[in-house]
Amino acid sequence: VQDEPANRPQVTFGTEIVMVAAGGGGGQGMSMTFGGGEISKVRTDGKGRFEVRFLKPGNYIIETSGGGYAAAQSDPIEVKDGADVDDVHIEADLGATIAGVITSGESGEPLSGVPVSLIMADGGREMTMTENGGFRFEGLDEGDYTIQVLGSGFGGEPLAEESVRLDYGEQRQLDLTTGG
């Protein structure tokens, strides 16, 4: 058995993948995660395109997130040694956005630095802090959500709370006032 030469050229894998919104257009600024093998993360350009090189042969699933789009994933993609895979398309729905301003029930002023929690129907949770009273969650899947304004200790009852149902692409303004 002969050893392979040390100067063997490295095999590369290149692919161009286009992210498109379900209604057309590019998925600008989305992050892609390649799973099923070594995990690699990349970002799309302004037209939803990106290229990945140097993937080992194997089966991969591309998962998308960010850029204001709901999470999506590809069908399994097989990468063979020395072969390119081109023109893989993944359609992602424009995610819902919920934004608002938290104001004090006592003073009527916007509250900065207040923790806001977004609770999903499956129990998942995202957190943000208000800036000048404002908060924003985007790229959300269609479904039921609860927004909670939390006290500084993160414990006890929420200072304000409201539940909403969102559809893909919906832009919801939800202003909340804390008890006064």
Side-chain angles (χ1 to χ4, degrees), residues 24 33 52 132 151 165:
T33 302
V52 177
N132 297 321
R165 171 132 186 98

Side-chain angles (χ1 to χ4, degrees), residues 127-164:
M127 296 285 294
T128 192
M129 299 292 276
T130 60
E131 185 175 318
N132 297 321
F135 69 92
R136 181 178 189 84
F137 296 98
E138 60 181 22
L140 302 173
D141 287 328
E142 179 176 71
D144 296 315
Y145 296 89
T146 301
I147 296 287
Q148 290 183 337
V149 180
L150 304 174
S152 61
F154 294 96
E157 293 295 314
L159 302 177
E161 177 178 271
E162 189 162 334
S163 296
V164 296

Side-chain angles (χ1 to χ4, degrees), residues 158-178:
L159 302 177
E161 177 178 271
E162 189 162 334
S163 296
V164 296
R165 171 132 186 98
L166 300 172
D167 294 320
Y168 285 119
E170 183 177 351
Q171 306 286 311
R172 177 77 60 94
Q173 181 72 25
L174 181 64
D175 298 330
L176 295 170
T177 302
T178 64

